[in-house]
Amino acid sequence: MGRKVRSETFPGRVSKLIFLSDSCGSCIEVLNQLANYSLSNHFLVLKSDPEPYSDADLEDISYKFPIFRSSKIVEMFGIQRVPTILTINAEGRIERVDELADPEQLGFCLEPSSPTWSKRDQGLPLGSPFPGYALNAGDTVEMVGEEGAVVLFLSTDCLSCLDIFSKLNLLIDKWPGKRIVLYIQGEESKVKSFLEENQINLPFHLYDPCQRERFKTSVFPYHYSLSIEGYVLTKGTVKDAEELEAFVDTGMDHTLKFEQGEQGGQGA
């Protein structure tokens, strides 16, 4: 709070600079893992300034290690994606830069660990109508596919999201009966560039903080599987395309069981 902080004031030598974000699911997992680490690792966590009217910075004090917030510092280091870890050698020079596409890679950067993916309690309730997609009398089923829909919330500065971007066309081929809906956080030019680079020919919605109250979603990547009526079957944070596929397949199983249950009831 206004005072200068120097690496010399910390016990030992700072050797890791860890850049994270409040809206990145992988970053939340990294924080959870760091909470179980010894301070002998000599790391500093850096984030951008909190968004206006956000209390994210108040959560920082619950951690035993320091979290510094400065958009200026993040820009000064040229950080484009998170989580990113910089390794500093004994002379204070950057020795290595690691972008963590998967939080499980944290162990290779710091020390052995057995991480588990963070299940963030956010999003719309299961069974609730997804805004704008639940069908009422007179609506058409064009809002969802023959087997429902998959709604993805992604960000252009999230490494886990990049894995999904790169494999999205393969997933689309596996779900021919589902409509894929994209909500993407980032500058419009950057979003279009990502879609073109990965040859994704899907319409998308730009996602900004003012929409978070409506969709209850602020950590990426995040998914919803919707029924043919537009109701939430499954939801959750995913760490890569493989886990996304597993979640969506679970949603398809839910739909199948529901339909079988209906038929069994009618037969009885």
Side-chain angles (χ1 to χ4, degrees), residues 1 11-12 37 46 52 55 65 80 84 99-100 124 133 162 167 180 198-200 203 225 231 241 250 254 264:
M1 293 297 185
Y37 276 69
L46 298 101
D55 59 356
F65 50 84
Q80 298 295 319
T84 290
E99 292 185 340
L100 272 63
L124 302 164
Y133 286 84
L162 298 187
K167 299 171 183 174
I180 311 299
N198 292 283
Q199 299 181 335
I200 299 172
S225 292
Y231 291 90
T250 300
H254 287 337

Side-chain angles (χ1 to χ4, degrees), residues 61-74:
I61 62 176
S62 64
Y63 294 95
K64 295 180 180 179
F65 50 84
I67 299 178
F68 296 125
R69 287 184 175 269
S70 172
S71 298
K72 183 177 179 180
I73 290 179
V74 173

Side-chain angles (χ1 to χ4, degrees), residues 35-48:
N36 297 319
Y37 276 69
S38 166
L39 289 181
S40 62
N41 286 284
H42 313 308
F43 56 79
L44 296 179
V45 173
L46 298 101
K47 293 184 176 183
S48 297

Side-chain angles (χ1 to χ4, degrees), residues 86-188:
L86 272 58
T87 299
I88 313 300
N89 64 20
E91 290 74 39
R93 298 182 182 276
I94 297 174
E95 191 173 75
R96 195 174 77 239
V97 178
D98 295 293
E99 292 185 340
L100 272 63
D102 186 332
E104 294 183 10
Q105 297 175 350
L106 181 63
F108 295 102
C109 299
L110 299 180
E111 66 182 23
S113 64
S114 300
T116 56
W117 183 248
S118 172
K119 299 302 178 185
R120 180 79 172 238
D121 184 17
Q122 66 163 348
L124 302 164
L126 293 175
S128 66
F130 192 85
Y133 286 84
L135 304 182
N136 300 313
D139 287 340
T140 67
V141 294
E142 293 178 359
M143 300 178 72
V144 292
E146 295 177 356
E147 298 177 358
V150 178
V151 184
L152 300 177
F153 287 79
L154 305 171
S155 171
T156 57
D157 64 357
C158 163
L159 285 168
S160 295
C161 296
L162 298 187
D163 179 70
I164 294 175
F165 274 121
S166 67
K167 299 171 183 174
L168 188 54
N169 282 324
L170 294 176
L171 296 177
I172 292 172
D173 291 339
K174 292 183 179 182
W175 307 323
K178 290 184 175 290
R179 183 183 180 192
I180 311 299
V181 182
L182 301 179
Y183 287 86
I184 306 175
Q185 177 176 273
E187 296 180 1
E188 185 172 5

